Amino acid sequence: MDRSSKSNSNSTEFAHSATATSATATAPWGNNKESPNNEDDSNEDDGDTATPAKVTDPLAPRLTNNERVLVVSVTERPRETWGQKAEFLLAVIGFAVDLGNVWRFPYICYQNGGGAFLVPYCVFLIFGGLPLFYMELALGQFHRCGCISIWKRICPALKGVGYAICLIDIYMGMYYNTIIGWAVYYLFASFTSKLPWTSCDNPWNTQNCMPVTNENFTELATSPAKEFFERQVLESYKSNGLDFMGPVKPTLALCVFGVFVLVYFSLWKGVRSAGKVVWVTALAPYVVLIILLVRGVSLPGADEGIKYYLTPEWHKLKNSKVWIDAASQIFFSLGPGFGTLLALSSYNKFNNNCYRDALITSSINCLTSFLAGFVIFSVLGYMAFVQKTSIDKVGLEGPGLVFIVYPEAIATMSGSVFWSIIFFLMLITLGLDSTFGGLEAMITALCDEYPRVIGRRRELFVLLLLAFIFLCALPTMTYGGVVLVNFLNVYGPGLAILFVVFVEAAGVFWFYGVDRFSDDVEQMLGSRPGLFWRICWTYISPVFLLTIFIFSILGYKEMLGEEFYYPPWSTQVGWAVTCSSVMCIPMYMIYKFFFASKGNCKQRLQETFKPDESCGSVVPGQQGTSV
C-alpha cells in the first residue's frame, strides 16, 4: 500500500500541459532533490527561469517542442522549527518536570515503601511510560502536525481524541494557572523584612495560632504558615465549599492574571518565543533545587529525613496499591496523552533522533523527582527535629507541602526571606513550563486543523483563548476556589486523560499498526525499533493504561481526598465534566461514519478507519499525493 503523505505546511503543485507558441516553462519538480518538507525550503515558485525537467524523472511530464507546462502553485507558510535542538529538549523537560515532581513524588515514595517504591516505579517507567513517551515524540515528528490533524493519517474515526485532548487542556488551564497564582502571591509577600507567616501577630491569625517551635504546640493548634495560606492567601473560611464559594478575591485574581500575561507573551509567536523562554523556565528550577538541597542537608535532622525517605520497606511491595500508585505516578509525571509531546516534536526536523530524545528527557524527569525527594525530606527531617516529633506527622501531600510545610521550615531558617523568594520562584517556573506545554498542544492542534481561520492569526487566537480560559478560571479565584481546584484536578484531566490515552494507543498500535508505525520510525532514524519496543507497544503499554484507568475509576473518591467536603450533587457534575471530553471520541466516530463518509456500509467503515491516503507524503524526497 502506498502510504506516502505530505504535511499540511508543504506547497502543493499541479501541472497541466497545454499547446502554445511562446517560450517553454518547466515542471516545478524538475531537478529538485530537496525535500518539500525541508525547513530551509522557501516554498517559492521557480518562475520562468527554471531548468526544464529531465526526461529521466519519472514524475516529469514528457513534452514536445511545442508544449509547455502551466504551473499553478498554492503555497502555505512553511512550518516553524526550533531554533536549536536544546530548545526542544528544554521544552519537553520543562513540560514533564512540573509541580507534581516536588509535591507528589516524595510523598508517594515514602508512603509506599521508601526505596522499595523505586522498584515498581522503574518497572513501569521501562515497560509503560517510556514506550508511550517515545511513541508521541515519534508520531509528532513524523507527521508534523498537532493532535487533531494527525488522526486523518492514522485512523480518521479517532479524530475525536484530538478534540478531547483540547478540552482536557482547557480544564487543566482553568485550575493549574491558579496554583501558579498562589505561588506568585507568596513571592510578593516574601519581599519584606520579616516573612508574614513567621508569627501569630497578624490580623488574620486566630487564637489557636501557635509557632511550631513552641514547646506547647499540639495537634489542636495551627501554625502561622497554615493560617497564612488558608486565611490570608485563600480566605477559605469565608466560603462554604462548593455550596457557597463567595466572590472573587481581587488580589488573587490579579496574581493569576499576571500568570496569564506571562503565558501569552511566551506563546504568542510559537516556538520562536517559547524557545527563548524555556532557557529560563526550564533551567532555573534546577539551579534552585541544587541550592535548596545544599541548604537542606546542612540542617539538623536532615539525615533522619533522608533516611526516612530512602529506607526500603520491602513488605509493602506485596500491596497492589503500591504498584498502582507507581504506575499512576510515572504516567502523570511523563505526561503522554496531553498532546504536548506531539506538538513540541512536530517542530523538529524530520531526521532528528527522537529515540535518543525520549531516553534523555524521560530519564531527566525521573531523576528530578528523585532529587526533589532529597530537597523535601531533608527539610521535613529538620522540621521533625525542631518540633520534636516524627516525620510522618510533619509531611503533607500536594499543595499543603509546598504552601504550608516548606514555608514553615523556611521561616525558621536564617536568611528566610532569601530562601522564600528563590523557593517560590522555582515553583513559578516549574508551573509555567507545564502550562506552556498544555496550552501549546491545543494551540498547535487548532492552528494545524484550521490553518486559514486560526493558523494565520495565531497571535489574536492565543489572546482570545487565554482570555476565555481566564474567565472560566475565575471561580477558582473565589474564597472557595481551593475546593474547585482539587475538584477539577480529579474530574477534569485526572480520569478522562487515562481513557483518552488508551484510545490513542489503541488507534496507533492496533488500527494503524505497530509494523506501519515502525516503518515510519525507520524512515526517520534509519533503523527499525527493536523487538522490545514493538512488544511494549502491541501488548504492555495498552494494558498498562487500561489498568490505571480501571483502578482510578474505582478509587476516584480517594483521589478527591478527605480534606474538603463535596456535596452529593458535585459527584454528578464531576462525572459530567469527565464525560464532556470522553464523549468527543464516540461522537466524532458517529459523525464520521454517517455524515462525512460516502458509499455503502463497508465503504463507509473503510473510509472511517483507514488512513487518508490523499494527505500526501511527509517523507523527504517524495513528491506528489496519493489518490
Side-chain angles (χ1 to χ4, degrees):
M1 180 186 299
D2 181 12
R3 291 189 299 101
S4 62
S5 55
K6 182 179 285 186
S7 65
N8 292 337
S9 62
N10 297 337
S11 301
T12 306
E13 299 179 345
F14 304 88
H16 173 71
S17 297
T19 304
T21 57
S22 58
T24 62
T26 180
W29 49 71
N31 281 337
N32 181 13
K33 296 182 181 179
E34 296 295 327
S35 161
N37 247 8
N38 193 317
E39 291 76 14
D40 297 328
D41 188 358
S42 64
N43 281 339
E44 295 179 353
D45 295 338
D46 292 337
D48 293 335
T49 61
T51 305
K54 293 184 178 181
V55 179
T56 56
D57 189 340
L59 294 176
R62 297 178 180 274
L63 308 176
T64 65
N65 292 333
N66 294 325
E67 289 182 335
R68 68 177 181 176
V69 173
L70 176 63
V71 178
V72 179
S73 178
V74 181
T75 61
E76 296 178 6
R77 292 188 301 176
R79 190 172 190 82
E80 293 179 284
T81 56
W82 295 100
Q84 301 178 45
K85 173 66 174 289
E87 292 178 0
F88 165 69
L89 293 176
L90 289 174
V92 174
I93 292 169
F95 164 71
V97 178
D98 65 352
L99 295 171
N101 293 73
V102 176
W103 76 34
R104 178 166 171 80
F105 176 83
Y107 175 84
I108 290 292
C109 185
Y110 95 79
Q111 186 188 49
N112 291 290
F117 177 76
L118 298 178
V119 173
Y121 185 79
C122 292
V123 167
F124 285 119
L125 167 65
I126 295 170
F127 292 98
L130 185 54
L132 293 170
F133 196 86
Y134 180 21
M135 172 202 76
E136 285 219 341
L137 290 184
L139 275 179
Q141 183 172 305
F142 183 83
H143 295 287
R144 298 177 63 79
C145 54
C147 60
I148 297 177
S149 304
I150 196 172
W151 287 103
K152 63 185 177 182
R153 306 173 184 275
I154 297 173
C155 180
L158 298 181
K159 197 172 183 178
V161 168
Y163 290 107
I165 289 173
C166 290
L167 196 53
I168 288 172
D169 287 334
I170 289 177
Y171 291 145
M172 189 170 178
M174 286 170 57
Y175 74 87
Y176 198 82
N177 291 307
T178 300
I179 297 175
I180 304 174
W182 298 346
V184 173
Y185 192 105
Y186 268 88
L187 177 65
F188 281 106
S190 300
F191 287 96
T192 179
S193 58
K194 181 182 179 182
L195 295 177
W197 57 87
T198 302
S199 67
C200 296
D201 302 328
N202 304 289
W204 59 81
N205 291 129
T206 66
Q207 293 180 350
N208 294 327
C209 180
M210 184 180 296
V212 293
T213 54
N214 193 311
E215 294 181 356
N216 298 322
F217 190 87
T218 64
E219 293 183 358
L220 298 177
T222 54
S223 68
K226 181 178 176 65
E227 291 200 349
F228 178 79
F229 180 58
E230 296 179 350
R231 300 182 63 84
Q232 174 62 13
V233 179
L234 304 178
E235 297 188 49
S236 54
Y237 68 95
K238 295 182 180 180
S239 75
N240 188 26
L242 295 180
D243 285 325
F244 175 72
M245 300 180 65
V248 172
K249 182 177 179 181
T251 52
L252 192 56
L254 186 62
C255 290
V256 178
F257 178 76
V259 172
F260 274 88
V261 171
L262 284 173
V263 171
Y264 174 72
F265 285 108
S266 299
L267 296 179
W268 70 322
K269 292 293 185 182
V271 295
R272 285 178 293 170
S273 55
K276 304 299 182 291
V277 174
V278 293
W279 283 99
V280 176
T281 56
L283 293 178
Y286 288 95
V287 175
V288 177
L289 273 175
I290 293 172
I291 293 174
L292 292 175
L293 176 63
V294 173
R295 176 58 177 151
V297 297
S298 65
L299 295 170
D303 56 335
E304 290 298 320
I306 293 173
K307 192 182 300 181
Y308 192 87
Y309 170 49
L310 294 179
T311 301
E313 299 179 66
W314 300 108
H315 66 277
K316 288 191 175 183
L317 295 182
K318 298 177 182 179
N319 188 346
S320 61
K321 182 181 179 300
V322 174
W323 293 82
I324 296 301
D325 283 349
S328 299
Q329 176 62 27
I330 198 67
F331 173 80
F332 285 107
S333 180
L334 292 177
F338 287 92
T340 303
L341 301 176
L342 277 173
L344 298 179
S345 62
S346 71
Y347 298 108
N348 277 335
K349 295 181 179 179
F350 185 81
N351 296 115
N352 174 66
N353 193 337
C354 57
Y355 170 66
R356 182 176 57 198
D357 294 344
L359 295 178
I360 292 173
T361 51
S362 59
S363 299
I364 290 176
N365 171 65
C366 295
L367 290 174
T368 304
S369 298
F370 193 58
L371 173 66
F374 285 93
V375 175
I376 296 298
F377 272 88
S378 61
V379 172
L380 291 181
Y382 164 69
M383 287 304 294
F385 174 82
V386 170
Q387 298 179 35
K388 296 179 175 59
T389 185
S390 59
I391 295 174
D392 59 328
K393 294 181 180 179
V394 175
L396 288 173
E397 180 192 8
L401 178 63
V402 295
F403 291 112
I404 297 177
V405 177
Y406 211 94
E408 205 169 68
I410 287 174
T412 64
M413 301 178 189
S414 57
S416 57
V417 172
F418 169 75
W419 299 115
S420 180
I421 290 172
I422 67 169
F423 176 72
F424 288 108
L425 276 175
M426 179 191 73
L427 292 186
I428 292 168
T429 52
L430 280 174
L432 283 175
D433 270 336
S434 296
T435 202
F436 290 164
L439 292 172
E440 182 59 46
M442 179 170 36
I443 294 166
T444 296
L446 294 173
C447 287
D448 287 345
E449 181 66 13
Y450 308 102
R452 296 182 184 278
V453 178
I454 296 177
R456 295 180 179 180
R457 303 172 180 85
R458 178 185 171 104
E459 293 87 350
L460 177 61
F461 171 67
V462 173
L463 177 64
L464 295 176
L465 176 66
L466 291 180
F468 170 73
I469 296 176
F470 177 76
L471 292 175
C472 292
L474 283 175
T476 66
M477 306 167 213
T478 60
Y479 296 132
V482 64
V483 185
L484 184 59
V485 165
N486 193 57
F487 178 85
L488 286 173
N489 182 44
V490 174
Y491 287 112
L495 295 172
I497 193 65
L498 293 166
F499 178 76
V500 170
V501 181
F502 171 72
V503 175
E504 176 188 342
V508 175
F509 301 146
W510 297 344
F511 286 91
Y512 187 69
V514 169
D515 288 338
R516 182 181 294 188
F517 177 64
S518 299
D519 291 341
D520 296 343
V521 175
E522 184 177 12
Q523 291 183 74
M524 289 189 297
L525 306 184
S527 60
R528 285 176 67 83
L531 181 62
F532 167 78
W533 298 107
R534 297 200 299 273
I535 291 176
C536 286
W537 288 331
T538 306
Y539 306 107
I540 300 176
S541 293
V543 173
F544 164 78
L545 290 169
L546 188 59
T547 302
I548 303 175
F549 175 67
I550 292 173
F551 278 93
S552 297
I553 291 290
L554 296 176
Y556 78 95
K557 290 185 178 179
E558 185 178 337
M559 293 175 68
L560 284 171
E562 300 178 354
E563 185 178 358
F564 306 112
Y565 168 74
Y566 294 93
W569 60 264
S570 66
T571 303
Q572 285 76 28
V573 174
W575 286 113
V577 171
T578 298
C579 291
S580 65
S581 55
V582 170
M583 288 303 294
C584 291
I585 299 173
M587 287 174 63
Y588 188 85
M589 282 185 179
I590 295 171
Y591 164 77
K592 179 67 177 177
F593 182 82
F594 288 103
F595 302 103
S597 301
K598 298 178 181 179
N600 56 37
C601 183
K602 183 178 180 181
Q603 291 171 330
R604 286 174 181 267
L605 283 173
Q606 186 174 14
E607 187 175 344
T608 300
F609 287 94
K610 288 188 63 177
D612 187 354
E613 300 292 349
S614 65
C615 295
S617 176
V618 295
V619 182
Q622 293 188 9
Q623 300 276 354
T625 57
S626 304
V627 180

